[in-house]
Amino acid sequence: MTLQEFLERIAEVEARAESLISSASSAAELEAARTSLVGRKSGALSALMKELPSLTPQDRPEAGARVNQVKVAVEDALDTRTLDVTGRQATGQSVDLTMPARRSWKGGKHPVTLVIEEIEEIFRELGFTIALGPEAETEWYNFGALNFPAEHPAMDLHDTLYLEDSVLLRTHTSPVQIRTLQNFKPPIRILAPGNVYRRDFFDASHAPVFAQIEGLSVDEGVSFVDLKATLTRFANRFFGTTRTRFRPSYFPFTEPSAEMDVECQICKGRGCATCKNTGWSEILGSGMVHPSVLEASGVDSERYTGWAFGMGPGRIAMQRFGIPDIRILYDSDMRFLEQLAE
Ligand code: DAH
């Protein structure tokens, strides 16, 4: 065969391919076209390739290159058209309908979210409403209105992250107390969950971002008895009947202040590494709302009193699920999360 004839035959196949492919309207027709054009045994292009040896050695490279070029173009056109017609990639293989399906991937709630929701539920039963506040706060809401004196060393404890002059990432959820008191008249009972930020290094018991839940109850005649009764009730609902204790403490925004411990849930009070052998685990800070906090928020402190608390649901989740290192809560390790997800 001469080169001229060979090239003419390729051109014919090319033209036929074009009309076959563009007029095909089903996967089956395209499969038939594929067989007749590039099929290994009877395809027109394969047949032409077998003719190559009949050309002179000088003509073979050009003829070979051309036939290959057309073959690639035809295969591309077949794939594209198949995609159009069936809406999925041509694999050259049929689908095995008997193959078992892949197990679907089920998401779940993070242990800290589960704990927050459970705490919300208990306080909802006790008449509390959920309130939220911004994570970027002004110094006044985060410190000033909460009775931190300017330059007070207590602010160092919070080792703060500033965004600009007097705006910072809130170091606690307590500013939501102020925002609520400014906007609503007592009686007030709110629960304010949310993230807070500290310039802390990650270690087994610290994280620079963590969740807190603030609680606030303000009305006429509210006393420390209400604080103790409500928080003890909460602990017994959440952990099951358990021992609790209050220890005197200090916060600028409460007077008097107390921290509440529950029996360490990991060792049941016997003493272990997690509770540093004390048998107790601190779950919250609390106290009677300082009169200056009420006044700063525009509430008459002669008429109203209140109590407040702040707790760390991360710590509580660690107690509940027996998690020894806080970093596990941030690792996104599916092997851990799957054990607790609901
Ligand atoms: N805001 C405190 C903190 O982040 C926690 C706290 C303690 C909140 C006592 C309160 C409270 O409302 O009464 O460490």
Side-chain angles (χ1 to χ4, degrees):
M1 202 190 295
T2 67
L3 178 62
Q4 188 56 35
E5 287 169 354
F6 194 86
L7 294 177
E8 276 168 17
R9 300 241 324 252
I10 294 178
E12 279 167 32
V13 177
E14 205 176 12
R16 186 150 63 87
E18 230 178 273
S19 80
L20 267 182
I21 294 170
S22 61
S23 65
S25 57
S26 70
E29 282 177 48
L30 283 158
E31 262 325 298
R34 191 186 292 274
T35 310
S36 80
L37 294 165
V38 292
R40 221 176 300 149
K41 282 200 195 119
S42 54
L45 285 168
S46 314
L48 275 177
M49 283 194 180
K50 284 179 199 140
E51 296 281 350
L52 280 173
S54 70
L55 295 168
T56 63
Q58 301 92 301
D59 290 338
R60 268 178 226 157
E62 190 186 334
R66 177 85 181 110
V67 82
N68 261 324
Q69 181 198 13
V70 172
K71 183 166 180 261
V72 170
V74 166
E75 279 172 345
D76 267 352
L78 282 163
D79 287 347
T80 309
R81 182 76 184 138
T82 306
L83 208 66
D84 285 352
V85 168
T86 65
R88 71 186 131 85
Q89 184 73 48
T91 58
Q93 288 170 340
S94 55
V95 176
D96 178 1
L97 295 174
T98 65
M99 200 165 86
R102 260 188 230 161
R103 202 149 56 93
S104 66
W105 194 82
K106 242 171 70 190
K109 286 178 180 168
H110 190 276
V112 174
T113 305
L114 293 174
V115 163
I116 292 175
E117 288 181 353
E118 198 177 327
I119 293 171
E120 285 177 354
E121 201 46 47
I122 293 171
F123 277 95
R124 205 174 277 137
E125 284 175 18
L126 297 170
F128 286 70
T129 316
I130 307 300
L132 300 175
E135 292 183 13
E137 264 300 6
T138 64
E139 264 182 320
W140 188 77
Y141 278 103
N142 197 80
F143 296 121
L146 287 161
N147 201 33
F148 285 77
E151 313 297 330
H152 191 278
M155 285 158 74
D156 294 349
L157 287 177
H158 289 231
D159 224 357
T160 313
L161 292 158
Y162 279 85
L163 295 174
E164 50 186 54
D165 297 341
S166 63
V167 177
L168 53 118
L169 293 175
R170 67 178 178 190
T171 61
H172 52 180
T173 43
S174 301
V176 186
Q177 291 189 31
I178 310 299
R179 292 183 175 276
T180 306
L181 291 170
Q182 283 179 328
N183 289 307
F184 299 94
K185 273 194 170 7
I188 283 171
R189 277 191 203 150
I190 55 117
L191 201 69
N195 282 338
V196 303
Y197 302 81
R198 305 257 172 106
R199 232 194 81 220
D200 270 339
F201 292 108
F202 251 127
D203 65 25
S205 52
H206 294 91
V209 185
F210 57 98
Q212 270 193 345
I213 302 180
E214 193 79 12
L216 174 70
S217 168
V218 174
D219 199 356
E220 285 179 36
V222 167
S223 76
F224 203 87
V225 173
D226 301 294
L227 179 161
K228 261 190 109 167
T230 311
L231 293 178
T232 305
R233 163 91 180 180
F234 157 73
N236 284 298
R237 284 277 276 113
F238 185 85
F239 292 105
T241 307
T242 189
R243 287 190 301 153
T244 53
R245 71 175 184 189
F246 286 84
R247 282 178 294 107
S249 184
Y250 171 77
F251 301 102
F253 38 90
T254 46
E255 181 58 36
S257 306
E259 272 161 328
M260 183 166 104
D261 296 344
V262 293
E263 195 173 76
C264 176
Q265 303 296 303
I266 292 167
C267 63
K268 291 289 163 209
R270 277 188 297 273
C272 66
T274 306
C275 64
K276 299 199 176 79
N277 272 316
T278 61
W280 294 98
S281 155
E282 179 197 321
I283 64 160
L284 58 84
S286 63
M288 298 305 294
V289 179
H290 197 291
S292 347
V293 172
L294 296 172
E295 293 297 334
S297 319
V299 174
D300 181 355
S301 66
E302 293 293 331
R303 180 169 172 199
Y304 294 106
T305 51
W307 57 273
F309 67 89
M311 60 184 154
R315 293 264 162 81
I316 294 176
M318 289 168 74
Q319 281 285 318
R320 160 63 65 88
F321 299 116
I323 299 166
D325 188 317
I326 203 170
R327 286 168 289 197
I328 296 176
L329 295 172
Y330 295 80
D331 274 348
S332 300
D333 183 336
M334 293 306 296
R335 291 167 303 179
F336 157 70
L337 293 171
E338 274 172 355
Q339 292 175 43
L340 304 178
E342 261 172 23

